[in-house]
Amino acid sequence: MSATSTTQSRKKITANLKATTATGETFTAPDYTIRDIINCIPKDCFQRSLLKSLSYVARDIAFMILFGYIAQTYIPTIPSKTLRFFAWSAYTILESFPMVGLWILAHECGHQAFSEYPYINDFVGWVLHSYCGNPYFSWKFSHKKHHQHTGHIDKDMVFVPKRGEEWKKQRGIMKFSELAADSPLSALSTLLIQQVVGFQTYLLIDATGQPHPELGNKWYSPFIASHFNPNAPIFDKGDGKFIILSDLGIGIVGYVVYQWIQHFGWFNCMVHWIVPYLLVNHWIVFLTFLQHTDITLPHYEENEWTFARGAASTIDREFGFVGQFFFHDIIETHVCHHYVSRIPFYNARKATKAIKEFVGDNYAYSDENMFVTLWKALRWCEFVEGDNGVLMYRNNNGFGLPPKDD
């Protein structure tokens, strides 16, 4: 737990603070502190085993090799071109699952949940994230700030919703009543952009992050905030050399991919790495968006935000066997992960059980099909509003409670 979170958890906040969700239900903000949460978790949940963590790395790599071997051996023998197309398509999806697993294990490294050895964590994380096309240290630093300020409307780093007035200004309208309900086609186009190139644009221009008005409005301004720029405002002083190391990792992988294409051809690289890489990005955006976006989840203004309240503004969901086995429970135990990110994933279910018993109604959970939830979230969660420091989702599509019409 950071010094920031310790300080924030002690500041004076409004007790028994309430708000109304988009469905008209009453939401009560947590009053407990992060120290209370830590004390309720069994101590053995904090134990990190390098050997156990490495075994999961080996397992994910083994599955990638196994799936690749089966695909390369048997799919080319299928006589029908149509059937081969569908077989290769199914394979790329299957291959993306253990690749996401490696991405998540690198994410564990960034939180120092992989082992007790920081240098080993960073080396393993750098290798795994680089292979997955993700700049390790850049992501580690910005992601740390996301954890430090989760749910803070002005300081969170990812999937930051717009306030009602900002949303109206962007749409160029004066009153909500003057705008017809957004069409499903608009939501569909947003969905496609988010899931196909959402993660790349976040890394490249800090899309969905905090605005950077100090950079001005020049066309290249968004690129200054890039995760690949050592001097980007999303990083702290002294981070630059690590950002360069992240870029080096991406450069090495890029060169390997180039050699791969030269020796084995475009198609081989496409089905074994490029398409799985794109699907990994899809899955990461998919699960991250739904871990932080739901009609029941609040965002807070500075005066009512604490670390514990921010961590509680996340939600656990269910993604079946894939989520538990390949995605290492990152979907099913994300609330625990935000309370105490150094708990390794293989101890997170036990910790989640203790947290759930302690926080009661402040534990957010849904077992709704996540693809259904994704569509609903895009339609229901367009912006946030509130006048007491708690901001809840509203929309202009006619779902749930109407927004303020000022």
Side-chain angles (χ1 to χ4, degrees):
M1 185 178 62
S2 68
T4 300
S5 62
T6 303
T7 301
Q8 289 290 347
S9 67
R10 294 173 179 169
K11 79 176 186 179
K12 185 175 178 61
I13 56 174
T14 303
N16 200 32
L17 182 64
K18 297 182 183 298
T20 305
T21 70
T23 56
E25 298 177 356
T26 299
F27 167 81
T28 303
D31 291 336
Y32 50 79
T33 69
I34 190 61
R35 179 57 58 187
D36 297 328
I37 294 293
I38 292 174
N39 290 338
C40 85
I41 299 172
K43 302 308 177 191
D44 60 323
C45 292
F46 295 89
Q47 295 178 2
R48 299 162 290 173
S49 168
L50 175 60
L51 184 61
K52 191 169 186 177
S53 295
L54 286 174
S55 73
Y56 283 104
V57 173
R59 190 196 73 177
D60 289 343
I61 293 174
F63 271 106
M64 290 187 67
I65 294 172
L66 175 63
F67 293 157
Y69 173 78
I70 294 173
Q72 194 64 44
T73 302
Y74 295 103
I75 294 179
T77 66
I78 299 175
S80 167
K81 288 184 178 180
T82 301
L83 290 179
R84 284 203 304 274
F85 170 80
F86 285 108
W88 281 119
S89 298
Y91 159 69
T92 58
I93 295 173
L94 191 62
E95 184 76 343
S96 73
F97 292 161
M99 194 169 174
V100 170
L102 292 178
W103 193 102
I104 291 168
L105 291 173
H107 163 257
E108 292 258 305
C109 291
H111 285 292
Q112 304 303 311
F114 191 81
S115 78
E116 298 178 357
Y117 311 103
Y119 288 107
I120 293 178
N121 294 341
D122 283 341
F123 176 74
V124 173
W126 179 74
V127 171
L128 296 182
H129 257 173
S130 295
Y131 174 78
C132 296
N134 187 69
Y136 172 71
F137 289 103
S138 307
W139 167 262
K140 173 183 174 180
F141 295 149
S142 69
H143 191 62
K144 177 182 177 182
K145 292 183 178 181
H146 160 59
H147 271 258
Q148 289 175 329
H149 300 106
T150 304
H152 193 303
I153 192 65
D154 296 314
K155 295 181 180 179
D156 201 350
M157 294 289 289
V158 64
F159 288 120
V160 182
K162 288 180 170 55
R163 298 171 187 259
E165 59 270 20
E166 293 174 312
W167 188 86
K168 286 187 289 184
K169 183 178 180 180
Q170 186 180 58
R171 295 298 180 96
I173 59 175
M174 296 302 295
K175 290 182 179 294
F176 284 108
S177 58
E178 295 175 1
L179 182 67
D182 286 355
S183 68
L185 185 60
S186 174
L188 179 61
S189 63
T190 300
L191 173 65
L192 291 174
I193 294 172
Q194 174 179 294
Q195 296 306 129
V196 175
V197 296
F199 194 67
Q200 290 92 333
T201 54
Y202 172 65
L203 293 176
L204 190 61
I205 62 172
D206 196 34
T208 78
Q210 291 290 342
H212 301 285
E214 73 277 9
L215 300 180
N217 296 316
K218 297 183 174 63
W219 68 268
Y220 57 82
S221 296
F223 296 96
I224 299 177
S226 171
H227 279 72
F228 302 98
N229 178 11
N231 298 313
I234 58 178
F235 303 126
D236 294 332
K237 185 177 181 180
D239 290 344
K241 57 183 178 293
F242 295 102
I243 309 308
I244 293 173
L245 187 58
S246 297
D247 295 346
L248 175 63
I250 298 298
I252 291 172
V253 171
Y255 178 75
V256 171
V257 170
Y258 169 76
Q259 291 297 326
W260 189 337
I261 294 170
Q262 295 301 305
H263 287 81
F264 300 102
W266 268 102
F267 183 79
N268 184 281
C269 186
M270 183 73 67
V271 296
H272 292 300
W273 189 84
I274 295 177
V275 175
Y277 153 77
L278 293 173
L279 288 169
V280 167
N281 290 344
H282 152 72
W283 291 122
I284 297 303
V285 171
F286 172 73
L287 62 92
T288 304
F289 177 67
L290 291 180
Q291 286 162 345
H292 299 279
T293 308
D294 191 86
I295 56 175
T296 65
L297 298 181
H299 282 73
Y300 295 94
E301 295 179 323
E302 170 65 26
N303 60 313
E304 294 296 349
W305 180 91
T306 67
F307 184 88
R309 282 181 171 178
S313 64
T314 59
I315 186 169
D316 285 346
R317 302 188 185 275
E318 295 289 341
F319 201 54
F321 173 77
V322 172
Q324 296 176 36
F325 187 82
F326 286 113
F327 292 2
H328 303 306
D329 270 339
I330 197 172
I331 300 170
E332 292 78 5
T333 63
H334 200 70
V335 174
C336 167
H337 175 66
H338 268 273
Y339 279 125
V340 192
S341 57
R342 69 177 180 273
I343 292 178
F345 76 90
Y346 44 78
N347 292 336
R349 280 191 178 261
K350 183 176 181 179
T352 295
K353 183 175 183 295
I355 291 170
K356 181 179 178 181
E357 291 174 354
F358 176 76
V359 304
D361 292 340
N362 284 121
Y363 171 72
Y365 169 83
S366 173
D367 61 358
E368 183 179 58
N369 181 286
M370 288 184 65
F371 292 100
V372 173
T373 304
L374 177 63
W375 178 252
K376 288 173 63 175
L378 286 169
R379 299 287 284 155
W380 280 73
C381 304
E382 290 192 314
F383 49 86
V384 291
E385 286 184 337
D387 54 12
N388 65 346
V390 184
L391 309 175
M392 304 301 295
Y393 280 107
R394 296 289 187 269
N395 64 82
N396 194 52
N397 296 321
F399 297 115
L401 296 182
K404 292 186 298 184
D405 191 0
D406 48 21

